[in-house]
Amino acid sequence: MPKLTDRTALVTGASRGIGRAIAERLAQEGALVAVHYGTRTEAAEQVVADIRAAGGRAFAVQAELGLADGIDILFKSLEAQLEEHAGSTRLDILVNNAGLMGTALPEDISGEWFDRMMAVNAKAPLFVIQRALSLIPDHGRIINISSGLTRFAAPEQVTYAMTKGALEQISLHLARHLGKRRITVNTVAPGSTDNGSELFRVPEVRAAMSQLSAFGEVAEPTVIADVVAFLASADARWITGAFVDASGGTLLG
């Protein structure tokens, strides 16, 4: 039986890759899913169409996180469509997946790039949660998508890793803060995962990335979505403040 029937969910950055897989999996489990996107309108509409074609429920919400008015735009659309599709603005599950990724050696990092990465990857999730808390009922779920890069050194990814480390701290501290309401807050950290980038179509690159995992493979986004679906369910009600290594053993060394 579907485990999330009558639940509502928001997945940020859900037009492709891990976010798309999470949105599709939560919908398969019975949730009404808000598919957030920044600029990829056609891709987000396709995700919604595919979910509906499979018998699920979904709608798209657009906002560019990291901009001054991004969160206001997101929640105005979200609340209106939750009311339309579910009859209330209740939000049971929030998945902070949206993020920027890029590489720059420490000597080449610009202040502008750093600020943009921090705004999207760390500041936006914090204030999305803050805004969502009035909609999330007791026993709700908040799941933040981080990265295995917070646990091993990759100098060209230092900015990205810093922002994801900040996101992990949000999970840790808010898990304590929201425990009295039985709202769980957890972090999921993927490793090398095929997010649709053309880099994964290059055999040499894919082979090198595969070797980072104990299984010798690049993960498909669906395996991350499986972990998120578990944390979103009642089965995970006693897990909060956790860092869930979903890197396929990359962090084993």
Side-chain angles (χ1 to χ4, degrees), residues 115-139:
D115 290 344
R116 175 65 175 154
M117 291 276 281
M118 190 64 74
V120 175
N121 294 1
K123 182 179 178 180
L126 175 63
F127 286 96
V128 166
I129 293 171
Q130 182 191 70
R131 184 70 173 267
L133 282 178
S134 63
L135 310 180
I136 298 175
D138 292 355
H139 303 278

Side-chain angles (χ1 to χ4, degrees), residues 141-215:
R141 300 284 186 268
I142 299 172
I143 301 159
N144 295 319
I145 308 301
S146 182
S147 169
L149 283 166
T150 63
R151 295 298 194 274
F152 62 86
E156 72 280 3
Q157 296 283 4
V158 61
T159 304
Y160 178 74
M162 286 178 68
T163 64
K164 289 300 187 177
L167 181 61
E168 291 171 15
Q169 291 301 307
I170 293 171
S171 296
L172 181 66
H173 294 280
L174 291 189
R176 169 61 74 177
H177 182 64
L178 297 173
K180 58 185 176 293
R181 293 182 54 195
R182 292 295 194 271
I183 296 173
T184 66
V185 189
N186 291 294
T187 295
V188 174
S192 297
T193 306
D194 189 344
N195 61 4
S197 169
E198 288 303 314
L199 279 176
F200 287 100
R201 310 284 82 80
V202 180
E204 295 80 8
V205 172
R206 192 176 186 93
M209 299 290 276
S210 296
Q211 294 311 305
L212 297 175
S213 164
F215 301 128

Side-chain angles (χ1 to χ4, degrees), residues 64 66-72:
E64 289 194 54
L67 300 184
D69 58 351
I71 291 174
D72 283 339

Side-chain angles (χ1 to χ4, degrees), residues 43-66:
E45 290 175 348
Q46 187 62 56
V47 175
V48 171
D50 289 346
I51 288 173
R52 290 176 177 174
R57 299 177 300 151
F59 58 85
V61 287
Q62 188 278 334
E64 289 194 54
L65 300 179

Side-chain angles (χ1 to χ4, degrees), residues 4-23:
L4 301 177
T5 301
D6 298 327
R7 298 290 191 268
T8 58
L10 166 64
V11 182
T12 66
S15 64
R16 67 183 186 119
I18 291 173
R20 173 178 182 141
I22 292 170

